[in-house]
Amino acid sequence: MRFSTLIWHNLLRRRLRSALTSVGVGVAIMAVAALLAISRGFEESMAGAYESRGIDLVVVRAGVAERLTSSLDQRLADRLRKLPFVEDVVLELRDQASLGDSALVGTPLLGWEVNSQLYESLTFTSGRPLKKSDRHAVLLGEALAERLGKQVGDTVELLLQEFRVVGIFTSRNRFENLTAVVQLQELQELMDRPGQVTSFQLKVRDSAHKSLDVEAVRAAIESLTDRQGRKLGLLAQPTRRFVTSTLQIRIAHAMAWVTSAIALVIGAIGILNTMIMSVLERTREIGVLRAIGWRKSRVVRMILSESLALSVAGAVVGVVSAATLVKVLSSTHRAGAFLTQEIPAAVVGRAMLMSIVLGLVGGLYPALRAAALRPTEALRHD
Amino acid sequence: MTETTSNENGEILIRTCGLCKTYRDGAVTALSDVNLTIYRGEYVAIMGRSGSGKSTLLNLLGALDQPTSGEVFFEGQSLSRMPDLDRFRAEKLGFVFQSFHLLPTLTALENVQIPMFESRLPRARRVAKARELLAAVGMSERETHLPSRLSVGERQRVAIARALANDPVVLLADEPTGNLDSRTGSAVLDLFDRLHRERGMTLVVITHGQDVAERAQRIIRIKDGRLVDAGVYDSQVLQKS
Ligand SMILES: Nc1ncnc2c1ncn2[C@@H]1O[C@H](COP(=O)(O)OP(=O)(O)OP(=O)(O)O)[C@@H](O)[C@H]1O
Ligand SMILES: [Mg+2]
């Protein structure tokens, strides 16, 4: 017999209790894994969109909480273009509006220049990109189009003006599947924000020491000044860092973590409860084990192994159900636009690690209590 | 603290010196001033009325509990100065209890292996040894049985095999036949006789009945926590073994 056989037998004594405890942990781990996967999916899809466009740096106004809609003077683009190593500067204005007859409030609107680099992360499912000659033309993200029930050739109302749908797209950035794209200048007029953009997105020339160049450009942008020598107050961030520091992503991560923490505490309490009961029931038996020469450390090991087995089994259940959950959710219309289809390996790893911590934390106190039992007292117990 | 370990009667295995044990901060005196010597290879019965302190004494001899005052010496070594009592128990002592205390979810063969986890025996050796021990107590046929499927006498024999797992120097048994009828009880006692005779095992057995007393070499009597009769050391019987 192996030590593990003993652990297994001990857990099987109360099958239902063990199973329920594992399921409890499983639900906690499922919540953790699903939420982490979803928040990571957001981040990945956002970063993926920037990366597919070849963007190296994103420039926004410094010190603004809601960076996705802050504003900058579009004339700055020319100064940025003149900086060394800079290959291209792409302009984008973001805003929100209610889209005519739809019940939705606050559909994100993107203002892009014609022939913008930004189109590179889009795939058109029907129609075409915007052309210079288009007037009051709009592109709809696929999920938005579906929600509005619009097709190419239909019209939508944007701030009381009729816009013709000329293309429907899917984006690498899942957020953008729920957005509408119009020409930059039209959006500026529509929103009464002439000459304003939300961000500049920079491509840095390829070279062997590109990351150094990117850093040099970043420093140069942040130290730009106006004629009076005052700082312009620009924040330039490499794409990945920009994405992780946007409010949406930070909120998604924070929510994932807070919910996870709560789930984990509940999971740990479940294990704690089960193991305390289990130790109590086996008081006499533990006394016997000590009497026949088991050290405290082996008793601790036995109890901890049992709680670890419960929590790791729970984690397996949890990860599998999280994967199923994410798959099911991502295939539904509403959530599908946002969600990843799979749980990344890193999240699975983290969930497993958490379950181990959970098992150790939940099992520690019962294990120490079991080890602290005095053999004579334990033997008299009934 | 070590001390001389033999005298004219033979090698001293266990010696107690002014052993006292009180419970509940002195409200109950379970043992007072017990001085006792047990020789290697001896078969000793401890007798006394219920509540006289027999179990308390056995627990102190077996390092399961600490005396309030006084000392227990094992092979000349003071237990209170022993750095690792768990190891001492694992290596030197075998315990047999009145109600067997087998683990209910493990087979006979598995139960016997339990104490061996603390020794560094590889698994195959562990299993082989457990088999040998079950054979020695006449339980080879029942290796894969759970305790619930064994008769009480068989359970006690498995428990004795378990007590022998780490080749102890002494077997401490607290009323080992207390839950058995006279026939199965005497089978267990036959087993003790054999261990004593064939292996030279030292046996300290608490008993209520005359059955053990008849087989033991010496009877120690306790009354109200005091040693009233340490018995006569019978080297004749010892030589017989
Ligand atoms: N943990 C304890 N707390 C308080 N009193 C105890 C404890 N253990 C034993 N005693 C008391 O010590 C005395 C001796 O008990 P012990 O168990 O040694 O008797 P015993 O001779 O084994 O009796 P029995 O034949 O009934 O098993 C008894 O009065 C008992 O009530
Ligand atoms: Mg007793």
Side-chain angles (χ1 to χ4, degrees), chain A residues 377 380, chain B residues 23 28 30 49-56 175 208:
Chain A
E377 299 296 324
R380 288 167 66 94
Chain B
Y23 289 108
V28 180
R49 280 216 298 271
S50 181
S52 57
K54 304 181 295 295
S55 296
T56 304
E175 297 186 44
H208 268 303

Side-chain angles (χ1 to χ4, degrees), chain B residues 4-102:
Chain B
T4 51
T5 55
S6 62
N7 63 16
E8 69 283 1
N9 285 327
E11 189 185 345
I12 296 172
L13 184 64
I14 303 172
R15 198 173 74 80
T16 70
C17 180
L19 213 50
C20 294
K21 180 71 185 178
T22 60
Y23 289 108
R24 300 209 186 94
D25 295 328
V28 180
T29 303
L31 280 184
S32 57
D33 195 30
V34 173
N35 297 292
L36 183 66
T37 306
I38 294 168
Y39 296 91
R40 192 183 289 277
E42 229 190 333
Y43 185 171
V44 179
I46 298 176
M47 295 189 74
R49 280 216 298 271
S50 181
S52 57
K54 304 181 295 295
S55 296
T56 304
L57 176 61
L58 201 76
N59 289 341
L60 294 179
L61 298 182
L64 288 177
D65 206 353
Q66 280 75 50
T68 312
S69 66
E71 265 293 3
V72 178
F73 296 92
F74 194 95
E75 294 178 334
Q77 288 241 311
S78 152
L79 289 192
S80 65
R81 291 169 191 231
M82 217 166 268
D84 189 349
L85 285 175
D86 294 328
R87 183 166 171 190
F88 162 73
R89 277 201 302 273
E91 289 179 351
K92 305 280 188 183
L93 310 180
F95 282 93
V96 178
F97 308 95
Q98 178 173 355
S99 37
F100 334 123
H101 295 322
L102 296 173

